[in-house]
Amino acid sequence: MVERMLHLAPGANIGPSAVLNEVHAAAERIARAAGSGNAHAARILKDGSGNEAVAFIDAERCGIDASDRARLLQLDRELVALAILAGRLGAAGEALDRVLAKEPDDLDALAWQGYIHHRNGDTEAAAALFRLVYERSDKEAGDQCKVCVNLGSAYLELGKFDDAEKMYREAQSIFEQRNDQQLVADVRGRMGDVFFERGDLRKAEEFYNTALKSNKLLGLNEAVAIDCARLGRLLHALGDMRGAEAMFRESLKHNKRAGLLNDAASDYESLATLRAERGDFDGAVAMQRRALRIYEQLGDRTGVAIGYGNIGASMKASGDIAGAEEMYRKALAIDKEIGRLEGIAVNCANLGYLLEERGEISEARKLYMSVLEMEESPGRPDVFAACGERIADLAISRGDLDGAEELLSQLLMLARDDDLDQVVAKCCSNLGLIKIKRGDSSGANRDLTKARNLFNRLGDMDEVKRVDGLLAELEDDNP
């Protein structure tokens, strides 16, 4: 049962010793109940359902007197671990709030909170918590290695490659001192990710192959699968589609052999991407549906939501607009149910684009506005900015120049803060259009020139051509 539960893990290091401890404790609790004739517990032992395990522990917790602080704390810790593994981040967050209310300095709990932020797309908040745990860890005992990998991964996503490399090398040094060859190989693979993101693909390939060789010698199907998937991604980037597909299929084989269904689902998604890139959208949807079935089987609501969204994107690309809308709405409903902010923002935006293309402007605008009005950050400034751009474009088209200018000015500040150059360029070009409509030729020329220079630097030649056309018209009108 424990092994089946752990196979739900979404592939990120979240303090494995703590997770194992809590999942084992929950499994023992459920096994005792099954041995006493509890039918619900017996079903969980048989099926290994993460969702049912969460429900069982939660029900036991509800029956505990509030004065039994220690027991309530332990059950909440078990709930956090089980809910994380089952992809129920909302439920995990609720239990975690109760843990931290009782034990605000619990480093495992703070690391879990960072992990939940990470999964919800708020990498900045995740990095801050991982850094806090790192700083408070016992360095002499090497306890910081629990979050070195987490912090390195967060830094990697934030584009802080030197910081990510530093964390990974520190973790590797500790693991080498402990002669833990499995974790040494794991960090080597992650080091390959750093070089991949830096654009040094040959150096990344060197690290990936070293990790793959070690993991094959250790007989670790799960790790071999991860390394094969990394090599698939690298070969894809190098344009070797046949080699990439071979690696993803090899990864799929090892994940199935190890019973790692969640990771097998990721392999199906990667194979879907390859098919979509060659225009085989039906084939892409077929692969994505295989991934979706796995997420449904595991009760991973986050995975199901992402799966529906991916299928929607492939259907839209193939021209099946009705099918895409259905998938996006299903994804959005689940994201709202589980409180996945990134998913809510992304699916509102995708639905908005689709409805706008279909001429349903009012409904599209409502969806874009729902993203801008979110009380908490979804952790996706690019999506936030894109929705703002669409609202500004719609405002310009209906003549509301003041409203569009105010919104674009706000977006411009946001985009500059988050280094979103494409958004900065688009905002500048739209501000230039507004100034053209107002007869402010000098201001229009200034904003459009900024936009053209940025688009040129980004290599977006279609936008350069469009803005050049506007500048030429401006010059003709003002000789």
Side-chain angles (χ1 to χ4, degrees):
M1 173 198 168
V2 173
E3 287 73 15
R4 285 196 292 274
M5 285 183 179
L6 290 176
H7 288 166
L8 299 173
N13 182 323
I14 54 174
S17 61
V19 170
L20 276 170
N21 290 342
E22 308 307 351
V23 173
H24 275 292
E28 290 173 3
R29 190 183 308 281
I30 293 169
R32 287 195 299 271
S36 300
N38 186 301
H40 188 192
R43 285 198 307 275
I44 297 170
L45 285 180
K46 179 181 178 183
D47 300 332
S49 168
N51 277 323
E52 290 301 316
V54 168
F56 184 90
I57 299 299
D58 193 38
E60 180 168 340
R61 180 192 170 280
C62 290
I64 305 300
D65 188 272
S67 63
D68 195 344
R69 184 180 181 279
R71 193 173 175 196
L72 285 171
L73 179 62
Q74 177 56 33
L75 288 169
D76 275 329
R77 288 176 63 86
E78 292 172 20
L79 273 174
V80 173
L82 290 172
I84 284 175
L85 295 183
R88 293 181 56 184
L89 302 185
E94 290 175 8
L96 190 54
D97 286 344
R98 295 192 295 268
V99 171
L100 287 169
K102 296 183 181 72
E103 298 288 343
D105 296 322
D106 185 320
L107 295 187
D108 285 332
L110 290 169
W112 286 338
Q113 190 174 52
Y115 173 75
I116 291 173
H117 281 305
H118 207 172
R119 282 276 281 173
N120 276 327
D122 193 347
T123 309
E124 288 278 7
L129 281 163
F130 292 146
R131 191 160 48 244
L132 176 66
V133 175
Y134 172 81
E135 290 167 354
R136 292 184 181 179
S137 295
D138 184 346
K139 303 297 190 297
E140 290 187 11
D143 284 350
Q144 78 272 29
C145 69
K146 287 183 178 180
V147 288
C148 275
V149 174
N150 304 75
L151 188 50
S153 298
Y155 281 145
L156 184 61
E157 286 188 25
L158 293 170
K160 299 178 179 180
F161 303 135
D162 291 346
D163 290 331
E165 182 178 353
K166 178 183 175 183
M167 286 296 105
Y168 288 151
R169 288 197 184 280
E170 185 171 343
Q172 182 176 338
S173 175
I174 295 170
F175 297 146
E176 286 175 341
Q177 290 171 21
R178 296 177 179 178
N179 197 31
D180 191 329
Q181 294 305 309
Q182 179 178 345
L183 290 178
V184 169
D186 174 74
V187 175
R188 283 176 180 157
R190 294 175 188 272
M191 284 288 293
D193 292 340
V194 174
F195 285 99
F196 180 92
E197 294 299 334
R198 282 175 173 158
D200 188 346
L201 301 188
R202 293 306 176 191
K203 190 69 174 177
E205 187 174 18
E206 179 184 324
F207 273 100
Y208 291 156
N209 280 321
T210 300
L212 179 60
K213 182 179 178 181
S214 296
N215 286 320
K216 281 184 174 179
L217 288 172
L218 292 167
L220 301 171
N221 277 310
E222 177 181 4
V224 168
I226 291 171
D227 294 330
C228 286
R230 283 172 165 146
L231 282 164
R233 182 182 65 155
L234 184 143
L235 292 170
H236 181 205
L238 290 171
D240 183 358
M241 300 305 177
R242 183 171 295 181
E245 181 163 355
M247 283 292 103
F248 287 133
R249 290 196 177 279
E250 187 72 7
S251 175
L252 179 61
K253 180 182 76 176
H254 284 281
N255 278 322
K256 285 183 172 180
R257 185 178 294 166
L260 298 170
L261 298 182
N262 207 354
D263 293 326
S266 295
D267 293 326
Y268 281 126
E269 294 286 8
S270 297
L271 290 167
T273 298
L274 295 179
R275 295 195 178 193
E277 287 185 1
R278 61 176 184 252
D280 180 9
F281 297 112
D282 289 342
V285 169
M287 292 292 105
Q288 288 163 338
R289 288 196 183 281
R290 289 189 183 186
L292 180 62
R293 282 197 293 273
I294 290 174
Y295 295 134
E296 289 173 336
Q297 177 185 343
L298 296 175
D300 182 348
R301 301 294 283 162
T302 298
V304 171
I306 293 171
Y308 278 133
N310 289 341
I311 293 171
S314 292
M315 286 181 164
K316 185 173 184 290
S318 72
D320 183 359
I321 303 303
E325 181 180 358
E326 179 187 359
M327 293 298 107
Y328 287 149
R329 290 196 184 279
K330 284 184 174 181
L332 180 58
I334 294 171
D335 283 326
K336 286 181 175 179
E337 174 195 326
I338 63 178
R340 182 173 166 264
L341 301 180
E342 178 185 8
I344 293 170
V346 168
N347 285 300
C348 280
N350 285 336
L351 269 172
Y353 303 149
L354 186 149
L355 294 177
E356 187 181 346
E357 289 176 14
R358 208 162 64 190
E360 298 179 33
I361 305 301
S362 177
E363 290 303 311
R365 188 178 184 281
K366 287 179 184 176
L367 286 162
Y368 298 145
M369 282 301 301
S370 71
V371 175
L372 298 189
E373 293 171 352
M374 290 176 73
E375 293 183 3
E376 295 182 58
S377 167
R380 287 291 300 271
D382 56 330
V383 176
F384 184 92
C387 288
E389 284 179 29
R390 294 310 312 134
I391 292 174
D393 284 347
L394 294 173
I396 292 171
S397 67
R398 68 173 186 271
D400 181 10
L401 302 186
D402 290 342
E405 185 174 26
E406 181 181 357
L407 181 57
L408 286 167
S409 297
Q410 292 172 356
L411 288 174
L412 194 57
M413 288 190 290
L414 169 75
R416 283 173 173 155
D417 287 344
D418 288 295
D419 296 324
L420 300 171
D421 287 345
Q422 188 78 23
V423 177
V424 171
K426 186 70 186 297
C427 286
C428 286
S429 69
N430 277 332
L431 285 168
L433 279 172
I434 290 172
K435 288 171 184 174
I436 287 174
K437 290 179 181 291
R438 285 182 170 153
D440 180 3
S441 301
S442 174
N445 186 286
R446 184 172 57 251
D447 286 335
L448 290 173
T449 300
K450 286 179 185 177
R452 181 188 59 188
N453 291 341
L454 265 175
F455 284 132
N456 191 51
R457 195 178 81 197
L458 294 166
D460 192 338
M461 303 318 293
D462 288 338
E463 284 295 315
V464 170
K465 184 177 179 181
R466 181 182 69 82
V467 176
D468 273 339
L470 292 171
L471 284 166
E473 289 177 16
L474 190 62
E475 187 175 343
D476 289 342
D477 292 340
N478 298 275

